[in-house]
């Protein structure tokens, strides 16, 4: 692939580039997605939304799906193991959000999700994955539906091929793979060789998006080169570092990138805090931003001392006091 940075199509949705923000539980809210977009993310996903909670009209669940202020196109990711509930949830998603894409989580390794027949349980059970995906595709009525799978349940039970085929048979418009097993969780290394095999298996029928071990721009370049994936999806690598999208874009298009200065890191953190306050409340936003400002402070001189104070911040004023040396 000569031009590693390029447009991508998901069904009838056209995207300008191929650097995506993954659905990250407890992180990918509208505030965080908005700063990722400002820094070059080409497409974004909400954190995973419970189909069951949606059908029960849980207000907190609806908040998770809100479009960010600058989001031209985004995907709402839903999870569940029952086709009927997932179908109903898809209808609610489209009614409440008018999102451009619906993504089905078939990869989450968390036990409480698996117990319901959702997440990684679907990668292990291709027949159920087919029924769930088919139900969502029908309910979506032309809006592209995608799936995110894992490589399998454990090393002796690798079911990604069957899961991918089931998704294709159900009519999905793209497949994302995180090539770790459910048993691995987020430990060890993701197997990019499996990703390359998946790209060859689907042979241009639908795009394949890669996830797993993308912590710096060079990782994105390597994944695109080694696997032939159509796009890459940053997850943990974007936490406290939405600049990874800008840096990766520069690396792929210009061959190099410049590190972001500390003042800009802090400024972006405050932009995220301000938006989170507007979306929720000062109390909630300030508690939530403790982990996020801790991540923003990595690589800043004196970062350890800053983090020791961040864990006690409870108001916007507290954060302004902690970062006063960086605020103009």
């Amino acid at each position: 692939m000569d031009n590693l940075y390029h447009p991508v199509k998901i069904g009838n949705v056209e995207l300008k580039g191929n650097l995506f923000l993954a659905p990250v539980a407890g992180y990918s809210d509208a505030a965080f997605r908005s700063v990722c977009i400002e820094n070059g993310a080409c497409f974004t996903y909400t954190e995973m939304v419970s189909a069951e909670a949606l059908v029960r009209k849980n207000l907190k669940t609806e908040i998770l799906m809100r479009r960010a202020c600058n989001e031209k196109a985004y995907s709402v990711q839903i999870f569940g193991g029952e086709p009927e509930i997932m179908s109903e949830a898809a209808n609610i998603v489209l009614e409440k959000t008018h999102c451009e894409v619906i993504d089905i989580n078939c990869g989450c390794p968390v036990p409480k999700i698996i117990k319901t027949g959702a997440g990684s349980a679907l990668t292990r059970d291709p027949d159920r994955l087919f029924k769930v995906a088919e139900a969502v595709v029908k309910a979506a009525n032309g809006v592209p539906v995608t799936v995110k799978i894992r490589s399998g349940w454990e090393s002796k039970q690798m079911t990604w091929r069957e899961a991918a085929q089931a998704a294709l048979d159900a009519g999905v418009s793209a497949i994302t793979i995180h090539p770790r097993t459910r048993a691995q969780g987020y430990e060890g290394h993701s197997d990019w060789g499996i990703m390359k095999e998946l790209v060859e298996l689907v042979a241009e029928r639908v795009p394949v998006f890669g996830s797993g071990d993308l912590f710096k721009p060079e990782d994105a370049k390597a994944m695109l080169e080694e696997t032939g994936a159509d796009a890459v999806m940053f997850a943990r690598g974007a936490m406290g570092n939405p600049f990874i999208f800008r840096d990766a874009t520069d690396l792929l298009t210009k061959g190099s990138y410049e590190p972001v200065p500390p003042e800009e890191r802090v400024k972006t953190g405050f932009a995220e805090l301000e938006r989170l306050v507007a979306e929720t409340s000062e109390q909630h936003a300030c508690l939530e931003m403790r982990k996020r400002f801790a991540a923003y402070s990595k690589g800043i001189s004196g970062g350890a001392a800053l983090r020791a104070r961040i864990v006690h911040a409870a108001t916007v004023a507290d954060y302004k006091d902690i970062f006063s040396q960086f605020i103009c």
Side-chain angles (χ1 to χ4, degrees):
M1 193 187 297
D2 293 326
N3 186 10
L4 293 176
Y5 183 81
H6 56 76
V8 176
K9 281 189 79 173
I10 305 175
N12 55 10
V13 176
E14 296 189 26
L15 306 169
K16 64 174 184 176
N18 58 343
L19 302 175
F20 300 170
L21 172 66
V24 183
Y27 231 100
S28 303
D29 52 32
F32 181 60
R33 298 199 311 271
S34 71
V35 295
C36 288
I37 291 163
E38 283 172 355
N39 282 280
C42 310
F43 194 57
T44 48
Y45 292 71
T46 66
E47 52 190 298
M48 61 181 187
V49 174
S50 164
E52 190 81 43
L54 270 182
V55 171
R56 289 181 181 169
K57 298 182 167 51
N58 180 303
L59 180 61
K60 186 182 174 188
T61 303
E62 288 186 20
I63 291 169
L64 294 178
M65 302 192 298
R66 285 180 187 162
R67 187 184 292 265
C69 54
N70 54 356
E71 218 156 24
K72 291 189 177 121
Y74 78 123
S75 177
V76 172
Q77 188 189 69
I78 57 176
F79 73 91
E82 298 299 327
E84 300 80 12
I85 301 257
M86 288 289 276
S87 173
E88 197 176 337
N91 283 321
I92 295 167
V93 167
L94 295 176
E95 175 196 333
K96 299 280 185 186
T97 72
H98 306 293
C99 64
E100 284 68 29
V101 176
I102 294 177
D103 187 58
I104 303 170
N105 184 309
C106 307
C108 180
V110 175
K112 69 177 181 181
I113 304 294
I114 294 167
K115 274 183 199 166
T116 67
S120 290
L122 289 174
T123 295
R124 179 172 66 166
D125 186 348
D127 290 340
R128 182 180 283 264
L129 189 159
F130 169 78
K131 288 172 186 167
V132 165
E134 183 185 46
V136 175
V137 167
K138 283 180 180 171
N141 196 27
V143 170
V145 174
T146 60
V147 298
K148 186 175 185 185
I149 64 173
R150 283 210 167 215
S151 53
W153 188 251
E154 58 189 6
S155 59
K156 293 178 182 173
Q157 200 174 358
M158 304 294 270
T159 50
W160 62 268
R161 284 185 188 84
E162 296 83 354
Q165 189 59 57
L168 287 172
D169 292 344
V172 304
S173 297
I175 299 172
T176 301
I177 186 162
H178 182 149
R180 279 184 171 90
T181 62
R182 183 277 322 171
Q184 278 182 281
Y186 298 97
E187 301 299 318
H189 293 288
S190 59
D191 185 347
W192 290 4
I194 287 174
M195 194 182 300
K196 184 179 181 183
E197 285 186 62
L198 176 59
V199 170
E200 291 165 356
L201 178 72
V202 304
E204 298 181 5
R205 281 179 286 174
V206 299
V208 171
F209 309 146
S211 176
D213 295 342
L214 296 171
F215 296 107
K216 55 187 188 297
E218 291 81 3
D219 297 333
K221 183 172 185 285
M223 180 180 280
L224 291 166
E225 287 175 335
E226 292 173 24
T227 70
D230 296 276
V232 296
M233 211 181 260
F234 290 105
R236 288 176 291 168
M239 294 180 184
N241 187 25
F243 321 103
I244 198 166
F245 296 99
R246 185 198 318 178
D247 293 346
T249 302
D250 284 348
L251 180 64
L252 295 178
T253 57
K254 303 172 187 173
S256 64
Y257 61 94
E258 292 292 324
V260 173
E263 292 75 15
E264 190 170 350
R265 296 181 73 85
V266 172
K267 183 181 174 185
T268 302
F270 274 98
E272 187 178 344
L273 171 60
E274 187 180 304
R275 290 167 200 175
L276 199 50
V277 169
E279 283 168 26
T280 56
S281 67
E282 182 172 3
Q283 182 185 26
H284 173 274
C286 289
L287 287 174
E288 179 61 36
M289 287 300 296
R290 286 178 181 176
K291 67 182 180 187
R292 303 191 192 188
F293 264 118
Y296 275 114
S297 70
K298 284 179 183 171
I300 293 178
S301 177
L306 290 171
R307 288 188 286 280
R309 297 179 64 194
I310 288 167
V311 295
H312 301 291
T315 65
V316 172
D318 287 345
Y319 283 109
K320 286 182 176 174
D321 181 47
I322 292 166
F323 290 100
S324 58
Q325 70 194 92
F326 300 101
I327 301 171
C328 299

PDB file of all heavy atoms in Angstrom, residues 185-204:
ATOM      1  N   GLY A 185      -7.381 -11.212  27.645  1.00  0.00           N
ATOM      2  CA  GLY A 185      -7.848  -9.900  28.099  1.00  0.00           C
ATOM      3  C   GLY A 185      -7.090  -8.812  27.362  1.00  0.00           C
ATOM      4  O   GLY A 185      -7.164  -8.711  26.143  1.00  0.00           O
ATOM      5  N   TYR A 186      -6.311  -8.013  28.110  1.00  0.00           N
ATOM      6  CA  TYR A 186      -5.478  -6.976  27.480  1.00  0.00           C
ATOM      7  C   TYR A 186      -3.996  -7.250  27.758  1.00  0.00           C
ATOM      8  O   TYR A 186      -3.169  -6.366  27.635  1.00  0.00           O
ATOM      9  CB  TYR A 186      -5.890  -5.588  27.996  1.00  0.00           C
ATOM     10  CG  TYR A 186      -7.318  -5.271  27.630  1.00  0.00           C
ATOM     11  CD1 TYR A 186      -8.349  -5.485  28.537  1.00  0.00           C
ATOM     12  CD2 TYR A 186      -7.639  -4.824  26.356  1.00  0.00           C
ATOM     13  CE1 TYR A 186      -9.661  -5.236  28.185  1.00  0.00           C
ATOM     14  CE2 TYR A 186      -8.950  -4.572  25.991  1.00  0.00           C
ATOM     15  CZ  TYR A 186      -9.959  -4.782  26.912  1.00  0.00           C
ATOM     16  OH  TYR A 186     -11.266  -4.552  26.552  1.00  0.00           O
ATOM     17  N   GLU A 187      -3.698  -8.511  28.145  1.00  0.00           N
ATOM     18  CA  GLU A 187      -2.324  -8.888  28.467  1.00  0.00           C
ATOM     19  C   GLU A 187      -1.629  -9.473  27.232  1.00  0.00           C
ATOM     20  O   GLU A 187      -2.251  -9.791  26.227  1.00  0.00           O
ATOM     21  CB  GLU A 187      -2.317  -9.927  29.597  1.00  0.00           C
ATOM     22  CG  GLU A 187      -2.981  -9.462  30.889  1.00  0.00           C
ATOM     23  CD  GLU A 187      -2.318  -8.245  31.504  1.00  0.00           C
ATOM     24  OE1 GLU A 187      -1.071  -8.199  31.509  1.00  0.00           O
ATOM     25  OE2 GLU A 187      -3.035  -7.347  31.966  1.00  0.00           O
ATOM     26  N   GLY A 188      -0.329  -9.653  27.354  1.00  0.00           N
ATOM     27  CA  GLY A 188       0.429 -10.256  26.268  1.00  0.00           C
ATOM     28  C   GLY A 188       0.405  -9.388  25.015  1.00  0.00           C
ATOM     29  O   GLY A 188       0.186  -8.176  25.090  1.00  0.00           O
ATOM     30  N   HIS A 189       0.630 -10.013  23.865  1.00  0.00           N
ATOM     31  CA  HIS A 189       0.688  -9.265  22.607  1.00  0.00           C
ATOM     32  C   HIS A 189      -0.461  -9.657  21.698  1.00  0.00           C
ATOM     33  O   HIS A 189      -0.899 -10.803  21.692  1.00  0.00           O
ATOM     34  CB  HIS A 189       2.024  -9.526  21.889  1.00  0.00           C
ATOM     35  CG  HIS A 189       3.203  -8.964  22.622  1.00  0.00           C
ATOM     36  ND1 HIS A 189       3.450  -7.619  22.694  1.00  0.00           N
ATOM     37  CD2 HIS A 189       4.179  -9.583  23.337  1.00  0.00           C
ATOM     38  CE1 HIS A 189       4.558  -7.414  23.423  1.00  0.00           C
ATOM     39  NE2 HIS A 189       5.007  -8.591  23.825  1.00  0.00           N
ATOM     40  N   SER A 190      -0.938  -8.692  20.926  1.00  0.00           N
ATOM     41  CA  SER A 190      -1.946  -9.014  19.912  1.00  0.00           C
ATOM     42  C   SER A 190      -1.226  -9.603  18.702  1.00  0.00           C
ATOM     43  O   SER A 190      -0.103  -9.213  18.384  1.00  0.00           O
ATOM     44  CB  SER A 190      -2.735  -7.762  19.525  1.00  0.00           C
ATOM     45  OG  SER A 190      -1.887  -6.756  19.019  1.00  0.00           O
ATOM     46  N   ASP A 191      -1.894 -10.545  18.050  1.00  0.00           N
ATOM     47  CA  ASP A 191      -1.280 -11.279  16.939  1.00  0.00           C
ATOM     48  C   ASP A 191      -1.681 -10.632  15.611  1.00  0.00           C
ATOM     49  O   ASP A 191      -2.721 -10.950  15.033  1.00  0.00           O
ATOM     50  CB  ASP A 191      -1.739 -12.741  16.997  1.00  0.00           C
ATOM     51  CG  ASP A 191      -1.051 -13.608  15.961  1.00  0.00           C
ATOM     52  OD1 ASP A 191      -0.411 -13.053  15.037  1.00  0.00           O
ATOM     53  OD2 ASP A 191      -1.158 -14.845  16.062  1.00  0.00           O
ATOM     54  N   TRP A 192      -0.825  -9.744  15.120  1.00  0.00           N
ATOM     55  CA  TRP A 192      -1.146  -9.041  13.882  1.00  0.00           C
ATOM     56  C   TRP A 192      -1.167  -9.980  12.679  1.00  0.00           C
ATOM     57  O   TRP A 192      -1.762  -9.660  11.644  1.00  0.00           O
ATOM     58  CB  TRP A 192      -0.141  -7.913  13.643  1.00  0.00           C
ATOM     59  CG  TRP A 192      -0.274  -6.773  14.597  1.00  0.00           C
ATOM     60  CD1 TRP A 192      -1.121  -6.683  15.674  1.00  0.00           C
ATOM     61  CD2 TRP A 192       0.463  -5.538  14.583  1.00  0.00           C
ATOM     62  NE1 TRP A 192      -0.958  -5.485  16.327  1.00  0.00           N
ATOM     63  CE2 TRP A 192       0.012  -4.769  15.678  1.00  0.00           C
ATOM     64  CE3 TRP A 192       1.462  -5.027  13.759  1.00  0.00           C
ATOM     65  CZ2 TRP A 192       0.528  -3.502  15.954  1.00  0.00           C
ATOM     66  CZ3 TRP A 192       1.977  -3.764  14.031  1.00  0.00           C
ATOM     67  CH2 TRP A 192       1.514  -3.009  15.118  1.00  0.00           C
ATOM     68  N   GLY A 193      -0.548 -11.156  12.816  1.00  0.00           N
ATOM     69  CA  GLY A 193      -0.591 -12.146  11.737  1.00  0.00           C
ATOM     70  C   GLY A 193      -2.025 -12.581  11.452  1.00  0.00           C
ATOM     71  O   GLY A 193      -2.411 -12.797  10.295  1.00  0.00           O
ATOM     72  N   ILE A 194      -2.823 -12.702  12.512  1.00  0.00           N
ATOM     73  CA  ILE A 194      -4.240 -13.053  12.362  1.00  0.00           C
ATOM     74  C   ILE A 194      -4.974 -11.945  11.619  1.00  0.00           C
ATOM     75  O   ILE A 194      -5.819 -12.200  10.751  1.00  0.00           O
ATOM     76  CB  ILE A 194      -4.881 -13.313  13.746  1.00  0.00           C
ATOM     77  CG1 ILE A 194      -4.392 -14.655  14.290  1.00  0.00           C
ATOM     78  CG2 ILE A 194      -6.404 -13.263  13.677  1.00  0.00           C
ATOM     79  CD1 ILE A 194      -4.838 -14.963  15.705  1.00  0.00           C
ATOM     80  N   MET A 195      -4.639 -10.711  11.947  1.00  0.00           N
ATOM     81  CA  MET A 195      -5.265  -9.572  11.264  1.00  0.00           C
ATOM     82  C   MET A 195      -4.981  -9.625   9.765  1.00  0.00           C
ATOM     83  O   MET A 195      -5.880  -9.407   8.936  1.00  0.00           O
ATOM     84  CB  MET A 195      -4.732  -8.257  11.858  1.00  0.00           C
ATOM     85  CG  MET A 195      -5.513  -7.027  11.486  1.00  0.00           C
ATOM     86  SD  MET A 195      -4.757  -5.545  12.196  1.00  0.00           S
ATOM     87  CE  MET A 195      -4.841  -5.897  13.939  1.00  0.00           C
ATOM     88  N   LYS A 196      -3.746  -9.931   9.428  1.00  0.00           N
ATOM     89  CA  LYS A 196      -3.378 -10.028   8.009  1.00  0.00           C
ATOM     90  C   LYS A 196      -4.174 -11.146   7.330  1.00  0.00           C
ATOM     91  O   LYS A 196      -4.658 -10.991   6.193  1.00  0.00           O
ATOM     92  CB  LYS A 196      -1.876 -10.298   7.882  1.00  0.00           C
ATOM     93  CG  LYS A 196      -1.391 -10.326   6.438  1.00  0.00           C
ATOM     94  CD  LYS A 196       0.110 -10.563   6.350  1.00  0.00           C
ATOM     95  CE  LYS A 196       0.550 -10.559   4.890  1.00  0.00           C
ATOM     96  NZ  LYS A 196       1.977 -10.861   4.745  1.00  0.00           N
ATOM     97  N   GLU A 197      -4.331 -12.275   8.024  1.00  0.00           N
ATOM     98  CA  GLU A 197      -5.112 -13.387   7.470  1.00  0.00           C
ATOM     99  C   GLU A 197      -6.567 -12.978   7.251  1.00  0.00           C
ATOM    100  O   GLU A 197      -7.181 -13.378   6.248  1.00  0.00           O
ATOM    101  CB  GLU A 197      -5.047 -14.599   8.398  1.00  0.00           C
ATOM    102  CG  GLU A 197      -3.729 -15.352   8.372  1.00  0.00           C
ATOM    103  CD  GLU A 197      -3.806 -16.607   9.212  1.00  0.00           C
ATOM    104  OE1 GLU A 197      -4.624 -17.498   8.882  1.00  0.00           O
ATOM    105  OE2 GLU A 197      -3.073 -16.706  10.213  1.00  0.00           O
ATOM    106  N   LEU A 198      -7.114 -12.205   8.184  1.00  0.00           N
ATOM    107  CA  LEU A 198      -8.504 -11.753   8.040  1.00  0.00           C
ATOM    108  C   LEU A 198      -8.647 -10.842   6.825  1.00  0.00           C
ATOM    109  O   LEU A 198      -9.612 -10.965   6.057  1.00  0.00           O
ATOM    110  CB  LEU A 198      -8.965 -11.027   9.309  1.00  0.00           C
ATOM    111  CG  LEU A 198     -10.378 -10.425   9.242  1.00  0.00           C
ATOM    112  CD1 LEU A 198     -11.427 -11.504   8.969  1.00  0.00           C
ATOM    113  CD2 LEU A 198     -10.711  -9.680  10.524  1.00  0.00           C
ATOM    114  N   VAL A 199      -7.688  -9.940   6.643  1.00  0.00           N
ATOM    115  CA  VAL A 199      -7.714  -9.043   5.469  1.00  0.00           C
ATOM    116  C   VAL A 199      -7.741  -9.887   4.191  1.00  0.00           C
ATOM    117  O   VAL A 199      -8.514  -9.613   3.260  1.00  0.00           O
ATOM    118  CB  VAL A 199      -6.482  -8.103   5.471  1.00  0.00           C
ATOM    119  CG1 VAL A 199      -6.368  -7.349   4.158  1.00  0.00           C
ATOM    120  CG2 VAL A 199      -6.572  -7.118   6.644  1.00  0.00           C
ATOM    121  N   GLU A 200      -6.925 -10.938   4.166  1.00  0.00           N
ATOM    122  CA  GLU A 200      -6.873 -11.809   2.974  1.00  0.00           C
ATOM    123  C   GLU A 200      -8.154 -12.625   2.833  1.00  0.00           C
ATOM    124  O   GLU A 200      -8.639 -12.864   1.723  1.00  0.00           O
ATOM    125  CB  GLU A 200      -5.659 -12.731   3.075  1.00  0.00           C
ATOM    126  CG  GLU A 200      -4.337 -11.976   2.940  1.00  0.00           C
ATOM    127  CD  GLU A 200      -3.121 -12.783   3.391  1.00  0.00           C
ATOM    128  OE1 GLU A 200      -3.305 -13.930   3.887  1.00  0.00           O
ATOM    129  OE2 GLU A 200      -1.993 -12.272   3.264  1.00  0.00           O
ATOM    130  N   LEU A 201      -8.733 -13.025   3.955  1.00  0.00           N
ATOM    131  CA  LEU A 201      -9.953 -13.840   3.941  1.00  0.00           C
ATOM    132  C   LEU A 201     -11.140 -13.075   3.349  1.00  0.00           C
ATOM    133  O   LEU A 201     -11.887 -13.613   2.525  1.00  0.00           O
ATOM    134  CB  LEU A 201     -10.291 -14.308   5.361  1.00  0.00           C
ATOM    135  CG  LEU A 201     -11.573 -15.124   5.521  1.00  0.00           C
ATOM    136  CD1 LEU A 201     -11.388 -16.519   4.933  1.00  0.00           C
ATOM    137  CD2 LEU A 201     -11.981 -15.222   6.988  1.00  0.00           C
ATOM    138  N   VAL A 202     -11.304 -11.836   3.780  1.00  0.00           N
ATOM    139  CA  VAL A 202     -12.469 -11.082   3.287  1.00  0.00           C
ATOM    140  C   VAL A 202     -12.219 -10.495   1.902  1.00  0.00           C
ATOM    141  O   VAL A 202     -13.160 -10.108   1.207  1.00  0.00           O
ATOM    142  CB  VAL A 202     -12.912  -9.967   4.274  1.00  0.00           C
ATOM    143  CG1 VAL A 202     -13.200 -10.548   5.639  1.00  0.00           C
ATOM    144  CG2 VAL A 202     -11.883  -8.860   4.383  1.00  0.00           C
ATOM    145  N   ALA A 203     -10.949 -10.441   1.492  1.00  0.00           N
ATOM    146  CA  ALA A 203     -10.563 -10.088   0.123  1.00  0.00           C
ATOM    147  C   ALA A 203     -11.379  -8.962  -0.489  1.00  0.00           C
ATOM    148  O   ALA A 203     -12.043  -9.131  -1.497  1.00  0.00           O
ATOM    149  CB  ALA A 203     -10.638 -11.334  -0.753  1.00  0.00           C
ATOM    150  N   GLU A 204     -11.360  -7.818   0.167  1.00  0.00           N
ATOM    151  CA  GLU A 204     -11.964  -6.586  -0.346  1.00  0.00           C
ATOM    152  C   GLU A 204     -13.494  -6.588  -0.360  1.00  0.00           C
ATOM    153  O   GLU A 204     -14.115  -5.687  -0.908  1.00  0.00           O
ATOM    154  CB  GLU A 204     -11.418  -6.241  -1.734  1.00  0.00           C
ATOM    155  CG  GLU A 204      -9.922  -5.996  -1.725  1.00  0.00           C
ATOM    156  CD  GLU A 204      -9.370  -5.635  -3.102  1.00  0.00           C
ATOM    157  OE1 GLU A 204     -10.158  -5.479  -4.037  1.00  0.00           O
ATOM    158  OE2 GLU A 204      -8.140  -5.519  -3.200  1.00  0.00           O
TER     159      GLU A 204
END
